[in-house]
């Protein structure tokens, strides 16, 4: 959904509500678990070492649970207080090139292990892209803590299809900005 002005809270509420029962817009639901590469999709994988130790891991998990990886200024998750739980529907709100957009997605699965936390969301029919994206935090045996974004997607909206090179640049910008904001989020308590 493209808009000429920032969507109001009511517009967001109505948009998300209208997407609650919609099916996923792709058939490979859950494929980011295995990092399989479905045919016909662009695949992106971005990783960053956030630091070391239990406190870094806990801060990173807390940031992910609170959708901080989307606090980019030009992108955010709405409604922002939505719990990271299977079946929860949210919208990615973006402001680019003077336009606002809302893109619907739903949490597909949650990873909640001793030293790994994450989740994936999948696109719904009213999303500018089609595919799935996984966000995860891993605490490795060498005590390092990593943030990982793995996604497969292709343009869904006609305007995005026409502007595929621009859309790919925005996806790369999102990954770069998300890595940076997660670095800040995990280091805030030590600054």
């Amino acid at each position: 959904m493209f808009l000429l002005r920032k969507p109001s809270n009511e517009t967001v509420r109505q948009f998300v509500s209208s997407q609650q029962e919609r099916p996923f817009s792709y058939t490979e639901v859950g494929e980011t678990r295995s990092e399989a590469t479905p045919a016909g999709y662009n695949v992106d994988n971005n990783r960053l070492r956030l630091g070391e130790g239990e406190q870094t891991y806990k801060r990173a998990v807390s940031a992910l649970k609170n959708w901080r990886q989307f606090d980019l200024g030009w992108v955010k998750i709405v409604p922002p207080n939505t719990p990271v739980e299977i079946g929860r529907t949210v919208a990615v709100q973006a402001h680019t090139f003077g336009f606002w957009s809302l893109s619907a997605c739903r949490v597909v699965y949650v990873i909640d292990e001793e030293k790994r936390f994450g989740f994936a969301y999948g696109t719904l029919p009213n999303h500018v892209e089609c595919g799935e994206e996984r966000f995860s935090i891993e605490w490795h045996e060498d005590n390092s803590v990593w943030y990982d974004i793995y996604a497969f997607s292709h343009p869904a909206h006609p305007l995005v299809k026409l502007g595929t090179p621009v859309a790919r640049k925005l996806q790369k910008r999102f990954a770069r900005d998300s890595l940076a904001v997660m670095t800040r989020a995990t280091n805030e308590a030590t600054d």
Side-chain angles (χ1 to χ4, degrees):
M1 166 189 255
F2 287 99
L3 305 159
L4 295 175
R5 61 182 62 139
K6 183 178 180 179
S8 67
N9 290 340
E10 181 59 20
T11 299
V12 168
R13 188 195 67 69
Q14 288 176 5
F15 177 77
V16 171
S17 178
S18 74
Q19 301 299 300
Q20 296 286 356
E21 302 302 320
R22 301 290 308 268
F24 289 104
S25 60
Y26 62 106
T27 58
E28 303 85 357
V29 176
E31 288 293 312
T32 55
R33 274 191 196 274
S34 64
E35 295 190 7
T37 305
Y41 290 94
N42 296 308
V43 175
D44 296 297
N45 193 3
N46 296 276
R47 288 178 62 78
L48 179 71
R49 186 178 186 275
L50 296 173
E52 294 184 352
E54 183 177 7
Q55 290 308 310
T56 298
Y57 177 74
K58 286 181 177 179
R59 285 192 298 270
V61 168
S62 176
L64 212 61
K65 286 181 176 179
N66 288 290
W67 303 94
R68 293 280 307 274
Q69 72 273 29
F70 283 89
D71 288 346
L72 308 182
W74 63 283
V75 173
K76 71 178 188 175
I77 285 291
V78 290
N81 298 325
T82 303
V84 173
E85 298 172 347
I86 295 170
R88 292 292 187 145
T89 300
V90 295
V92 177
Q93 178 179 293
H95 186 225
T96 54
F97 307 112
F99 294 95
W100 293 86
S101 64
L102 291 173
S103 293
C105 43
R106 180 176 302 123
V107 176
V108 175
Y109 63 83
V110 175
I111 303 163
D112 195 0
E113 302 168 0
E114 184 179 352
K115 293 190 173 187
R116 186 171 182 234
F117 178 82
F119 67 93
Y121 68 47
T123 60
L124 299 174
N126 207 335
H127 195 293
V128 298
E129 293 280 337
C130 176
E132 191 170 289
E133 191 163 27
R134 183 195 66 218
F135 305 91
S136 62
I137 305 297
E138 302 168 4
W139 183 12
H140 291 201
E141 291 301 316
D142 67 358
N143 208 30
S144 63
V145 177
W146 293 81
Y147 171 47
D148 184 82
I149 308 169
Y150 176 77
F152 62 83
S153 66
H154 62 74
H157 191 279
L159 289 176
V160 178
K161 287 178 184 178
L162 285 172
T164 295
V166 173
R168 292 294 291 152
K169 285 182 181 181
L170 288 173
Q171 286 176 316
K172 291 179 188 323
R173 178 182 173 197
F174 170 82
R176 185 179 59 246
D177 291 357
S178 184
L179 295 171
V181 80
M182 285 298 288
T183 298
R184 286 192 303 275
T186 57
N187 291 305
E188 285 174 349
T190 58
D191 290 346

